[in-house]
Amino acid sequence: MTLFDKIWNRHVVKQIEGGPSVFYIDRHFIHEVTSPQAFDGLRKRGIGLARPAQTIATADHNVPTWDQHLPIKEALSRMQVEKLTENCQEFGVELYGLGHAYQGIVHVIGPELGITQPGMTIVCGDSHTSTHGAFGAIAFGIGTSEVEMVFATQCLMQNKPKQMRINIEGELQKGVTSKDIILYIIAQISAGGATGYFVEYAGSAIRSLSMEARMTICNMSIEMGARGGLIAPDETTFEYMKGRKFAPQGAEWDKKVAEWRQLHTDADASFDHEIHIRAEDIQPMVTYGTNPGMGIPVTGSIPEETVLEEKERPSFRKALDYMGLQAGKAIKGQKIDYVFIGSCTNSRIEDLRQVAQFVQGRQKADSVEVWIVPGSKQVEAQAREEGLHKVFEAAGFQLRQPGCSACLGMNEDKIPAGKYCISTSNRNFEGRQGQGARTLLASPLTAAAAAITGEVTDVREMLTAN
Amino acid sequence: MTIHSTAVPLENENVDTDQIIPARFLKATSRDGFGKNLFRDWRFNNDDDAQPKADFVLNSPVFNGKILVAGKNFGCGSSREHAAWALKDYGFDAVVSSFFADIFKNNALNNFLLPVQVSDAFVQNLFDTIQKNPAAEIDIQLENQTITNVSTGEQAHFDINAYKKTCFINGYDDIDYLLSIREEIEAHERSL
């Protein structure tokens, strides 16, 4: 059996003839954007939550990243966040709302609080729920009707997906991070290349990654269409989890770790599809287009139209037109106006440490504005405790307060029309960071290098110079 | 159940849910009224005076109907069910593509918006037919799981699992079913 099979089988309540399985959910995360209509649905039915204690709420998508102690200025955002508070009170759900020491991006706080654990089934009305798969959990995003379903019954109706394994063997080059691994994979198989699959990431390059780096990879599984992605738990996982607020303690911890050690794909298990990648082949990656599959090495050029199939060309042309970029042109040297370091993909303490270490003693380019948005209150507090805020301040970077921020611009953090933003987030869709905004996805290191030079830069050159 | 209508051709691939309904319109707390903001940034030049973009297909005076035909990987990206609500509220009853993103497909089915998955070639022929004759009709029969390009007679079969099909035809709700098996769910829960 695969790791996925082992968790899946345990959670199937029953199999419907000719249809989906009734699938039991261990943990349900909610936020303010995709939950209000589901709470309304419960009111209409006159029922409550089946398992409120397995449900955890936070406010992240709409929250401002300045002055979080003041009321939210924008009326609709404020109402949505207030609605979440009212709903959580009425239905008895634990809320880590604005001002709470545990508030933050839902996919950052779950792992850091030890709520996310190996072997679990985890859902949230948010496609980046795949992040939690880094712990060896089946975790995936759902729609609001399904949020209501989990509220009401703690179950979902699910068809078992096909399974894919992506093996990455070898050692990463200096300056290449887990973000580059996932951007490389998506560029290889396209933005729809894993649709219908659940992906297991394996191989020595994955094993050598920290938990936070693994989360970055699983986070973007959805960007190639995968239902989710997961990585078998190991000593790195247990070490990260031990002692966290809601992780098992004492004798219970030992018992759980023994169980979790069984969570791996058996040697004789087979997959519907397998991919093999050499870690040495991966370079720092940057996207040039309007879906995450449109990525190239930082030293590469935007493809010529002639390499594409004819029917792909109109979408390709539309993307380049939106981005104001030319086919065949090198991406290195492209001018940047904004740098966004944040989002559920790359806003954890290791990301901030890596950026701080790189920018220490350096100054941002005059022409760029740099926003660092930590993933949670705990990440923010840790960064300040370590003095990272002083490094950022000296470099001219703004360290803001936690939330989803400019990843999707539901708060005031929007990139102006026509401006270029190098972003550590997960989506370069048209208008994602603001109407007319042009997004180039990259790793925190590559984004930090662009902040210093004001243009797309091969961070490896600056590492050597250092 | 039959959907028989002219169709709107949206020849883009990888249409993501941020295009279907941009994030700034997700602040509502009800399910209603998302249709007016469907494809907002492709349809209009700005939010204030709503100047329509003449080159976008939904603004074309010649194309309309209850069926949207789109390029592959339709509905990728965000899990926002608002995308399905917006399409349904605008007046679409079915979307035809050569493949759909998984979460969007579930959201569509849960909102009685039928996702019809057919081959690339079938979709391409539909585009050609509609471009040549915007009054061309498409016929979708859910019971038989067939879609017919009426003017060419070309027909294709599409998949939908039997359970979802029954729900769709009868207007059943997963939650009613799941509530009816609560004891089985609780027994399973105790075994975990």
Side-chain angles (χ1 to χ4, degrees), chain A residues 10 24 45 51 74 80 144-145 410 430, chain B residues 18-19 26-27 30 42 81 102 173 188-189:
Chain A
R10 206 169 130 81
Y24 187 81
R45 292 172 200 270
R51 294 289 177 265
E74 215 257 314
Q80 209 170 40
T144 298
S145 295
M410 277 194 80
E430 284 184 36
Chain B
D18 272 82
Q19 308 317 312
L26 306 185
K27 297 183 184 189
S30 78
W42 286 356
E81 193 162 316
D102 286 330
D173 182 322
H188 187 87
E189 191 174 43

mmCIF file with all atom_site columns, all heavy atoms in Angstrom, chain A residues 10 24 45 51 74 80 144-145 410 430, chain B residues 18-19 26-27 30 42 81 102 173 188-189:
data_model
loop_
_atom_site.group_PDB
_atom_site.id
_atom_site.type_symbol
_atom_site.label_atom_id
_atom_site.label_alt_id
_atom_site.label_comp_id
_atom_site.label_asym_id
_atom_site.label_entity_id
_atom_site.label_seq_id
_atom_site.pdbx_PDB_ins_code
_atom_site.Cartn_x
_atom_site.Cartn_y
_atom_site.Cartn_z
_atom_site.occupancy
_atom_site.B_iso_or_equiv
_atom_site.pdbx_formal_charge
_atom_site.auth_seq_id
_atom_site.auth_comp_id
_atom_site.auth_asym_id
_atom_site.auth_atom_id
_atom_site.pdbx_PDB_model_num
ATOM 1   N N   . ARG A 1 10  ? -8.307  4.000  6.236   1.00 0.00 ? 10  ARG A N   1
ATOM 2   C CA  . ARG A 1 10  ? -8.695  4.170  7.635   1.00 0.00 ? 10  ARG A CA  1
ATOM 3   C C   . ARG A 1 10  ? -9.859  5.139  7.801   1.00 0.00 ? 10  ARG A C   1
ATOM 4   O O   . ARG A 1 10  ? -10.588 5.086  8.785   1.00 0.00 ? 10  ARG A O   1
ATOM 5   C CB  . ARG A 1 10  ? -7.465  4.705  8.381   1.00 0.00 ? 10  ARG A CB  1
ATOM 6   C CG  . ARG A 1 10  ? -7.403  4.389  9.832   1.00 0.00 ? 10  ARG A CG  1
ATOM 7   C CD  . ARG A 1 10  ? -6.001  4.744  10.321  1.00 0.00 ? 10  ARG A CD  1
ATOM 8   N NE  . ARG A 1 10  ? -6.067  5.579  11.517  1.00 0.00 ? 10  ARG A NE  1
ATOM 9   C CZ  . ARG A 1 10  ? -6.259  5.113  12.736  1.00 0.00 ? 10  ARG A CZ  1
ATOM 10  N NH1 . ARG A 1 10  ? -6.408  3.819  12.933  1.00 0.00 ? 10  ARG A NH1 1
ATOM 11  N NH2 . ARG A 1 10  ? -6.298  5.926  13.772  1.00 0.00 ? 10  ARG A NH2 1
ATOM 12  N N   . TYR A 1 24  ? -14.246 10.293 6.348   1.00 0.00 ? 24  TYR A N   1
ATOM 13  C CA  . TYR A 1 24  ? -14.238 10.967 7.649   1.00 0.00 ? 24  TYR A CA  1
ATOM 14  C C   . TYR A 1 24  ? -13.108 11.995 7.744   1.00 0.00 ? 24  TYR A C   1
ATOM 15  O O   . TYR A 1 24  ? -11.976 11.740 7.319   1.00 0.00 ? 24  TYR A O   1
ATOM 16  C CB  . TYR A 1 24  ? -14.079 9.936  8.779   1.00 0.00 ? 24  TYR A CB  1
ATOM 17  C CG  . TYR A 1 24  ? -14.234 10.572 10.144  1.00 0.00 ? 24  TYR A CG  1
ATOM 18  C CD1 . TYR A 1 24  ? -15.502 10.820 10.670  1.00 0.00 ? 24  TYR A CD1 1
ATOM 19  C CD2 . TYR A 1 24  ? -13.121 10.957 10.888  1.00 0.00 ? 24  TYR A CD2 1
ATOM 20  C CE1 . TYR A 1 24  ? -15.658 11.430 11.909  1.00 0.00 ? 24  TYR A CE1 1
ATOM 21  C CE2 . TYR A 1 24  ? -13.267 11.571 12.125  1.00 0.00 ? 24  TYR A CE2 1
ATOM 22  C CZ  . TYR A 1 24  ? -14.536 11.804 12.630  1.00 0.00 ? 24  TYR A CZ  1
ATOM 23  O OH  . TYR A 1 24  ? -14.690 12.425 13.849  1.00 0.00 ? 24  TYR A OH  1
ATOM 24  N N   . ARG A 1 45  ? -31.014 24.726 8.138   1.00 0.00 ? 45  ARG A N   1
ATOM 25  C CA  . ARG A 1 45  ? -31.366 23.346 8.474   1.00 0.00 ? 45  ARG A CA  1
ATOM 26  C C   . ARG A 1 45  ? -31.730 23.185 9.943   1.00 0.00 ? 45  ARG A C   1
ATOM 27  O O   . ARG A 1 45  ? -32.183 22.113 10.360  1.00 0.00 ? 45  ARG A O   1
ATOM 28  C CB  . ARG A 1 45  ? -30.191 22.407 8.166   1.00 0.00 ? 45  ARG A CB  1
ATOM 29  C CG  . ARG A 1 45  ? -29.870 22.251 6.701   1.00 0.00 ? 45  ARG A CG  1
ATOM 30  C CD  . ARG A 1 45  ? -28.588 21.461 6.493   1.00 0.00 ? 45  ARG A CD  1
ATOM 31  N NE  . ARG A 1 45  ? -28.038 21.697 5.166   1.00 0.00 ? 45  ARG A NE  1
ATOM 32  C CZ  . ARG A 1 45  ? -28.340 20.962 4.088   1.00 0.00 ? 45  ARG A CZ  1
ATOM 33  N NH1 . ARG A 1 45  ? -29.136 19.930 4.186   1.00 0.00 ? 45  ARG A NH1 1
ATOM 34  N NH2 . ARG A 1 45  ? -27.819 21.260 2.913   1.00 0.00 ? 45  ARG A NH2 1
ATOM 35  N N   . ARG A 1 51  ? -18.972 18.187 15.126  1.00 0.00 ? 51  ARG A N   1
ATOM 36  C CA  . ARG A 1 51  ? -17.781 18.087 15.980  1.00 0.00 ? 51  ARG A CA  1
ATOM 37  C C   . ARG A 1 51  ? -17.070 19.442 16.066  1.00 0.00 ? 51  ARG A C   1
ATOM 38  O O   . ARG A 1 51  ? -16.011 19.637 15.469  1.00 0.00 ? 51  ARG A O   1
ATOM 39  C CB  . ARG A 1 51  ? -16.810 17.042 15.396  1.00 0.00 ? 51  ARG A CB  1
ATOM 40  C CG  . ARG A 1 51  ? -17.318 15.613 15.417  1.00 0.00 ? 51  ARG A CG  1
ATOM 41  C CD  . ARG A 1 51  ? -17.366 15.052 16.838  1.00 0.00 ? 51  ARG A CD  1
ATOM 42  N NE  . ARG A 1 51  ? -17.928 13.707 16.850  1.00 0.00 ? 51  ARG A NE  1
ATOM 43  C CZ  . ARG A 1 51  ? -19.202 13.412 17.073  1.00 0.00 ? 51  ARG A CZ  1
ATOM 44  N NH1 . ARG A 1 51  ? -20.083 14.405 17.300  1.00 0.00 ? 51  ARG A NH1 1
ATOM 45  N NH2 . ARG A 1 51  ? -19.617 12.172 17.079  1.00 0.00 ? 51  ARG A NH2 1
ATOM 46  N N   . GLU A 1 74  ? -11.839 49.011 5.809   1.00 0.00 ? 74  GLU A N   1
ATOM 47  C CA  . GLU A 1 74  ? -12.710 48.689 4.677   1.00 0.00 ? 74  GLU A CA  1
ATOM 48  C C   . GLU A 1 74  ? -13.966 47.962 5.188   1.00 0.00 ? 74  GLU A C   1
ATOM 49  O O   . GLU A 1 74  ? -13.880 46.914 5.825   1.00 0.00 ? 74  GLU A O   1
ATOM 50  C CB  . GLU A 1 74  ? -11.935 47.818 3.682   1.00 0.00 ? 74  GLU A CB  1
ATOM 51  C CG  . GLU A 1 74  ? -12.286 48.090 2.245   1.00 0.00 ? 74  GLU A CG  1
ATOM 52  C CD  . GLU A 1 74  ? -13.193 47.021 1.684   1.00 0.00 ? 74  GLU A CD  1
ATOM 53  O OE1 . GLU A 1 74  ? -12.900 45.823 1.901   1.00 0.00 ? 74  GLU A OE1 1
ATOM 54  O OE2 . GLU A 1 74  ? -14.190 47.368 1.063   1.00 0.00 ? 74  GLU A OE2 1
ATOM 55  N N   . GLN A 1 80  ? -17.011 40.948 7.087   1.00 0.00 ? 80  GLN A N   1
ATOM 56  C CA  . GLN A 1 80  ? -16.757 39.517 6.912   1.00 0.00 ? 80  GLN A CA  1
ATOM 57  C C   . GLN A 1 80  ? -15.998 38.946 8.116   1.00 0.00 ? 80  GLN A C   1
ATOM 58  O O   . GLN A 1 80  ? -16.301 37.836 8.571   1.00 0.00 ? 80  GLN A O   1
ATOM 59  C CB  . GLN A 1 80  ? -15.975 39.282 5.613   1.00 0.00 ? 80  GLN A CB  1
ATOM 60  C CG  . GLN A 1 80  ? -16.267 37.936 5.007   1.00 0.00 ? 80  GLN A CG  1
ATOM 61  C CD  . GLN A 1 80  ? -15.702 37.770 3.615   1.00 0.00 ? 80  GLN A CD  1
ATOM 62  O OE1 . GLN A 1 80  ? -14.594 38.206 3.334   1.00 0.00 ? 80  GLN A OE1 1
ATOM 63  N NE2 . GLN A 1 80  ? -16.443 37.115 2.746   1.00 0.00 ? 80  GLN A NE2 1
ATOM 64  N N   . THR A 1 144 ? -17.480 25.702 -0.452  1.00 0.00 ? 144 THR A N   1
ATOM 65  C CA  . THR A 1 144 ? -18.308 26.077 0.704   1.00 0.00 ? 144 THR A CA  1
ATOM 66  C C   . THR A 1 144 ? -19.427 25.069 0.986   1.00 0.00 ? 144 THR A C   1
ATOM 67  O O   . THR A 1 144 ? -19.759 24.825 2.147   1.00 0.00 ? 144 THR A O   1
ATOM 68  C CB  . THR A 1 144 ? -18.872 27.498 0.486   1.00 0.00 ? 144 THR A CB  1
ATOM 69  O OG1 . THR A 1 144 ? -17.760 28.399 0.403   1.00 0.00 ? 144 THR A OG1 1
ATOM 70  C CG2 . THR A 1 144 ? -19.764 27.934 1.621   1.00 0.00 ? 144 THR A CG2 1
ATOM 71  N N   . SER A 1 145 ? -20.010 24.463 -0.057  1.00 0.00 ? 145 SER A N   1
ATOM 72  C CA  . SER A 1 145 ? -21.032 23.427 0.192   1.00 0.00 ? 145 SER A CA  1
ATOM 73  C C   . SER A 1 145 ? -20.418 22.275 0.983   1.00 0.00 ? 145 SER A C   1
ATOM 74  O O   . SER A 1 145 ? -21.071 21.676 1.841   1.00 0.00 ? 145 SER A O   1
ATOM 75  C CB  . SER A 1 145 ? -21.582 22.877 -1.124  1.00 0.00 ? 145 SER A CB  1
ATOM 76  O OG  . SER A 1 145 ? -22.268 23.879 -1.820  1.00 0.00 ? 145 SER A OG  1
ATOM 77  N N   . MET A 1 410 ? -6.976  40.920 -0.979  1.00 0.00 ? 410 MET A N   1
ATOM 78  C CA  . MET A 1 410 ? -8.338  41.154 -0.477  1.00 0.00 ? 410 MET A CA  1
ATOM 79  C C   . MET A 1 410 ? -8.337  42.282 0.547   1.00 0.00 ? 410 MET A C   1
ATOM 80  O O   . MET A 1 410 ? -9.365  42.854 0.852   1.00 0.00 ? 410 MET A O   1
ATOM 81  C CB  . MET A 1 410 ? -8.922  39.889 0.151   1.00 0.00 ? 410 MET A CB  1
ATOM 82  C CG  . MET A 1 410 ? -9.513  38.954 -0.878  1.00 0.00 ? 410 MET A CG  1
ATOM 83  S SD  . MET A 1 410 ? -10.542 37.662 -0.148  1.00 0.00 ? 410 MET A SD  1
ATOM 84  C CE  . MET A 1 410 ? -12.083 38.534 0.156   1.00 0.00 ? 410 MET A CE  1
ATOM 85  N N   . GLU A 1 430 ? -3.775  36.585 -13.743 1.00 0.00 ? 430 GLU A N   1
ATOM 86  C CA  . GLU A 1 430 ? -4.123  37.973 -14.054 1.00 0.00 ? 430 GLU A CA  1
ATOM 87  C C   . GLU A 1 430 ? -4.900  38.575 -12.883 1.00 0.00 ? 430 GLU A C   1
ATOM 88  O O   . GLU A 1 430 ? -5.850  37.962 -12.382 1.00 0.00 ? 430 GLU A O   1
ATOM 89  C CB  . GLU A 1 430 ? -5.053  38.021 -15.275 1.00 0.00 ? 430 GLU A CB  1
ATOM 90  C CG  . GLU A 1 430 ? -4.372  37.802 -16.589 1.00 0.00 ? 430 GLU A CG  1
ATOM 91  C CD  . GLU A 1 430 ? -5.360  37.954 -17.758 1.00 0.00 ? 430 GLU A CD  1
ATOM 92  O OE1 . GLU A 1 430 ? -6.261  38.803 -17.692 1.00 0.00 ? 430 GLU A OE1 1
ATOM 93  O OE2 . GLU A 1 430 ? -5.209  37.193 -18.726 1.00 0.00 ? 430 GLU A OE2 1
ATOM 94  N N   . ASP B 2 18  ? -9.860  32.912 -10.242 1.00 0.00 ? 18  ASP B N   1
ATOM 95  C CA  . ASP B 2 18  ? -9.637  34.352 -10.030 1.00 0.00 ? 18  ASP B CA  1
ATOM 96  C C   . ASP B 2 18  ? -10.188 35.168 -11.202 1.00 0.00 ? 18  ASP B C   1
ATOM 97  O O   . ASP B 2 18  ? -10.566 36.317 -11.025 1.00 0.00 ? 18  ASP B O   1
ATOM 98  C CB  . ASP B 2 18  ? -8.136  34.655 -9.874  1.00 0.00 ? 18  ASP B CB  1
ATOM 99  C CG  . ASP B 2 18  ? -7.659  34.524 -8.431  1.00 0.00 ? 18  ASP B CG  1
ATOM 100 O OD1 . ASP B 2 18  ? -7.392  33.375 -8.016  1.00 0.00 ? 18  ASP B OD1 1
ATOM 101 O OD2 . ASP B 2 18  ? -7.569  35.552 -7.729  1.00 0.00 ? 18  ASP B OD2 1
ATOM 102 N N   . GLN B 2 19  ? -10.182 34.595 -12.416 1.00 0.00 ? 19  GLN B N   1
ATOM 103 C CA  . GLN B 2 19  ? -10.783 35.288 -13.567 1.00 0.00 ? 19  GLN B CA  1
ATOM 104 C C   . GLN B 2 19  ? -12.296 35.166 -13.511 1.00 0.00 ? 19  GLN B C   1
ATOM 105 O O   . GLN B 2 19  ? -13.010 36.104 -13.825 1.00 0.00 ? 19  GLN B O   1
ATOM 106 C CB  . GLN B 2 19  ? -10.272 34.715 -14.900 1.00 0.00 ? 19  GLN B CB  1
ATOM 107 C CG  . GLN B 2 19  ? -8.766  34.648 -15.034 1.00 0.00 ? 19  GLN B CG  1
ATOM 108 C CD  . GLN B 2 19  ? -8.072  35.889 -14.526 1.00 0.00 ? 19  GLN B CD  1
ATOM 109 O OE1 . GLN B 2 19  ? -8.438  37.018 -14.851 1.00 0.00 ? 19  GLN B OE1 1
ATOM 110 N NE2 . GLN B 2 19  ? -7.064  35.708 -13.689 1.00 0.00 ? 19  GLN B NE2 1
ATOM 111 N N   . LEU B 2 26  ? -15.335 38.612 -3.223  1.00 0.00 ? 26  LEU B N   1
ATOM 112 C CA  . LEU B 2 26  ? -15.625 37.464 -2.347  1.00 0.00 ? 26  LEU B CA  1
ATOM 113 C C   . LEU B 2 26  ? -16.018 37.908 -0.945  1.00 0.00 ? 26  LEU B C   1
ATOM 114 O O   . LEU B 2 26  ? -16.054 37.106 -0.025  1.00 0.00 ? 26  LEU B O   1
ATOM 115 C CB  . LEU B 2 26  ? -14.400 36.543 -2.236  1.00 0.00 ? 26  LEU B CB  1
ATOM 116 C CG  . LEU B 2 26  ? -13.784 36.029 -3.530  1.00 0.00 ? 26  LEU B CG  1
ATOM 117 C CD1 . LEU B 2 26  ? -12.675 35.032 -3.222  1.00 0.00 ? 26  LEU B CD1 1
ATOM 118 C CD2 . LEU B 2 26  ? -14.836 35.388 -4.423  1.00 0.00 ? 26  LEU B CD2 1
ATOM 119 N N   . LYS B 2 27  ? -16.291 39.199 -0.778  1.00 0.00 ? 27  LYS B N   1
ATOM 120 C CA  . LYS B 2 27  ? -16.541 39.692 0.576   1.00 0.00 ? 27  LYS B CA  1
ATOM 121 C C   . LYS B 2 27  ? -17.999 39.582 1.000   1.00 0.00 ? 27  LYS B C   1
ATOM 122 O O   . LYS B 2 27  ? -18.343 39.917 2.125   1.00 0.00 ? 27  LYS B O   1
ATOM 123 C CB  . LYS B 2 27  ? -16.060 41.135 0.686   1.00 0.00 ? 27  LYS B CB  1
ATOM 124 C CG  . LYS B 2 27  ? -14.548 41.232 0.458   1.00 0.00 ? 27  LYS B CG  1
ATOM 125 C CD  . LYS B 2 27  ? -14.007 42.613 0.618   1.00 0.00 ? 27  LYS B CD  1
ATOM 126 C CE  . LYS B 2 27  ? -12.513 42.609 0.260   1.00 0.00 ? 27  LYS B CE  1
ATOM 127 N NZ  . LYS B 2 27  ? -11.859 43.869 0.579   1.00 0.00 ? 27  LYS B NZ  1
ATOM 128 N N   . SER B 2 30  ? -23.473 36.119 1.511   1.00 0.00 ? 30  SER B N   1
ATOM 129 C CA  . SER B 2 30  ? -24.574 35.286 1.002   1.00 0.00 ? 30  SER B CA  1
ATOM 130 C C   . SER B 2 30  ? -24.120 34.647 -0.316  1.00 0.00 ? 30  SER B C   1
ATOM 131 O O   . SER B 2 30  ? -23.031 34.942 -0.816  1.00 0.00 ? 30  SER B O   1
ATOM 132 C CB  . SER B 2 30  ? -25.825 36.131 0.772   1.00 0.00 ? 30  SER B CB  1
ATOM 133 O OG  . SER B 2 30  ? -25.688 36.845 -0.442  1.00 0.00 ? 30  SER B OG  1
ATOM 134 N N   . TRP B 2 42  ? -12.321 40.674 -17.310 1.00 0.00 ? 42  TRP B N   1
ATOM 135 C CA  . TRP B 2 42  ? -12.289 40.409 -18.749 1.00 0.00 ? 42  TRP B CA  1
ATOM 136 C C   . TRP B 2 42  ? -13.472 41.110 -19.426 1.00 0.00 ? 42  TRP B C   1
ATOM 137 O O   . TRP B 2 42  ? -13.429 41.418 -20.606 1.00 0.00 ? 42  TRP B O   1
ATOM 138 C CB  . TRP B 2 42  ? -12.334 38.892 -19.033 1.00 0.00 ? 42  TRP B CB  1
ATOM 139 C CG  . TRP B 2 42  ? -11.025 38.200 -18.734 1.00 0.00 ? 42  TRP B CG  1
ATOM 140 C CD1 . TRP B 2 42  ? -9.857  38.796 -18.332 1.00 0.00 ? 42  TRP B CD1 1
ATOM 141 C CD2 . TRP B 2 42  ? -10.743 36.795 -18.824 1.00 0.00 ? 42  TRP B CD2 1
ATOM 142 N NE1 . TRP B 2 42  ? -8.875  37.846 -18.162 1.00 0.00 ? 42  TRP B NE1 1
ATOM 143 C CE2 . TRP B 2 42  ? -9.384  36.614 -18.457 1.00 0.00 ? 42  TRP B CE2 1
ATOM 144 C CE3 . TRP B 2 42  ? -11.502 35.675 -19.190 1.00 0.00 ? 42  TRP B CE3 1
ATOM 145 C CZ2 . TRP B 2 42  ? -8.774  35.352 -18.437 1.00 0.00 ? 42  TRP B CZ2 1
ATOM 146 C CZ3 . TRP B 2 42  ? -10.903 34.416 -19.172 1.00 0.00 ? 42  TRP B CZ3 1
ATOM 147 C CH2 . TRP B 2 42  ? -9.550  34.259 -18.804 1.00 0.00 ? 42  TRP B CH2 1
ATOM 148 N N   . GLU B 2 81  ? -16.088 28.630 -4.130  1.00 0.00 ? 81  GLU B N   1
ATOM 149 C CA  . GLU B 2 81  ? -17.325 28.137 -4.743  1.00 0.00 ? 81  GLU B CA  1
ATOM 150 C C   . GLU B 2 81  ? -18.067 29.284 -5.427  1.00 0.00 ? 81  GLU B C   1
ATOM 151 O O   . GLU B 2 81  ? -18.954 29.065 -6.256  1.00 0.00 ? 81  GLU B O   1
ATOM 152 C CB  . GLU B 2 81  ? -18.193 27.476 -3.665  1.00 0.00 ? 81  GLU B CB  1
ATOM 153 C CG  . GLU B 2 81  ? -19.340 26.665 -4.207  1.00 0.00 ? 81  GLU B CG  1
ATOM 154 C CD  . GLU B 2 81  ? -19.905 25.697 -3.172  1.00 0.00 ? 81  GLU B CD  1
ATOM 155 O OE1 . GLU B 2 81  ? -19.121 25.030 -2.466  1.00 0.00 ? 81  GLU B OE1 1
ATOM 156 O OE2 . GLU B 2 81  ? -21.136 25.624 -3.058  1.00 0.00 ? 81  GLU B OE2 1
ATOM 157 N N   . ASP B 2 102 ? -10.309 19.777 -10.267 1.00 0.00 ? 102 ASP B N   1
ATOM 158 C CA  . ASP B 2 102 ? -11.115 18.904 -9.392  1.00 0.00 ? 102 ASP B CA  1
ATOM 159 C C   . ASP B 2 102 ? -12.064 19.650 -8.462  1.00 0.00 ? 102 ASP B C   1
ATOM 160 O O   . ASP B 2 102 ? -13.219 19.271 -8.318  1.00 0.00 ? 102 ASP B O   1
ATOM 161 C CB  . ASP B 2 102 ? -10.184 18.048 -8.518  1.00 0.00 ? 102 ASP B CB  1
ATOM 162 C CG  . ASP B 2 102 ? -9.519  16.949 -9.319  1.00 0.00 ? 102 ASP B CG  1
ATOM 163 O OD1 . ASP B 2 102 ? -10.126 16.482 -10.294 1.00 0.00 ? 102 ASP B OD1 1
ATOM 164 O OD2 . ASP B 2 102 ? -8.390  16.553 -8.964  1.00 0.00 ? 102 ASP B OD2 1
ATOM 165 N N   . ASP B 2 173 ? -29.329 16.291 -1.907  1.00 0.00 ? 173 ASP B N   1
ATOM 166 C CA  . ASP B 2 173 ? -28.283 17.010 -1.210  1.00 0.00 ? 173 ASP B CA  1
ATOM 167 C C   . ASP B 2 173 ? -27.459 15.974 -0.447  1.00 0.00 ? 173 ASP B C   1
ATOM 168 O O   . ASP B 2 173 ? -27.993 15.105 0.230   1.00 0.00 ? 173 ASP B O   1
ATOM 169 C CB  . ASP B 2 173 ? -29.051 17.944 -0.260  1.00 0.00 ? 173 ASP B CB  1
ATOM 170 C CG  . ASP B 2 173 ? -28.175 18.843 0.539   1.00 0.00 ? 173 ASP B CG  1
ATOM 171 O OD1 . ASP B 2 173 ? -27.104 18.385 0.965   1.00 0.00 ? 173 ASP B OD1 1
ATOM 172 O OD2 . ASP B 2 173 ? -28.582 19.985 0.759   1.00 0.00 ? 173 ASP B OD2 1
ATOM 173 N N   . HIS B 2 188 ? -17.828 4.476  13.094  1.00 0.00 ? 188 HIS B N   1
ATOM 174 C CA  . HIS B 2 188 ? -16.511 4.512  12.464  1.00 0.00 ? 188 HIS B CA  1
ATOM 175 C C   . HIS B 2 188 ? -15.560 5.397  13.266  1.00 0.00 ? 188 HIS B C   1
ATOM 176 O O   . HIS B 2 188 ? -14.395 5.052  13.475  1.00 0.00 ? 188 HIS B O   1
ATOM 177 C CB  . HIS B 2 188 ? -16.618 5.013  11.030  1.00 0.00 ? 188 HIS B CB  1
ATOM 178 C CG  . HIS B 2 188 ? -15.327 4.905  10.272  1.00 0.00 ? 188 HIS B CG  1
ATOM 179 N ND1 . HIS B 2 188 ? -14.965 3.770  9.599   1.00 0.00 ? 188 HIS B ND1 1
ATOM 180 C CD2 . HIS B 2 188 ? -14.294 5.770  10.134  1.00 0.00 ? 188 HIS B CD2 1
ATOM 181 C CE1 . HIS B 2 188 ? -13.766 3.941  9.069   1.00 0.00 ? 188 HIS B CE1 1
ATOM 182 N NE2 . HIS B 2 188 ? -13.339 5.163  9.377   1.00 0.00 ? 188 HIS B NE2 1
ATOM 183 N N   . GLU B 2 189 ? -16.083 6.504  13.702  1.00 0.00 ? 189 GLU B N   1
ATOM 184 C CA  . GLU B 2 189 ? -15.293 7.470  14.481  1.00 0.00 ? 189 GLU B CA  1
ATOM 185 C C   . GLU B 2 189 ? -14.730 6.803  15.743  1.00 0.00 ? 189 GLU B C   1
ATOM 186 O O   . GLU B 2 189 ? -13.563 7.000  16.094  1.00 0.00 ? 189 GLU B O   1
ATOM 187 C CB  . GLU B 2 189 ? -16.237 8.602  14.869  1.00 0.00 ? 189 GLU B CB  1
ATOM 188 C CG  . GLU B 2 189 ? -15.599 9.818  15.436  1.00 0.00 ? 189 GLU B CG  1
ATOM 189 C CD  . GLU B 2 189 ? -16.646 10.904 15.628  1.00 0.00 ? 189 GLU B CD  1
ATOM 190 O OE1 . GLU B 2 189 ? -17.765 10.604 16.101  1.00 0.00 ? 189 GLU B OE1 1
ATOM 191 O OE2 . GLU B 2 189 ? -16.342 12.055 15.288  1.00 0.00 ? 189 GLU B OE2 1
#
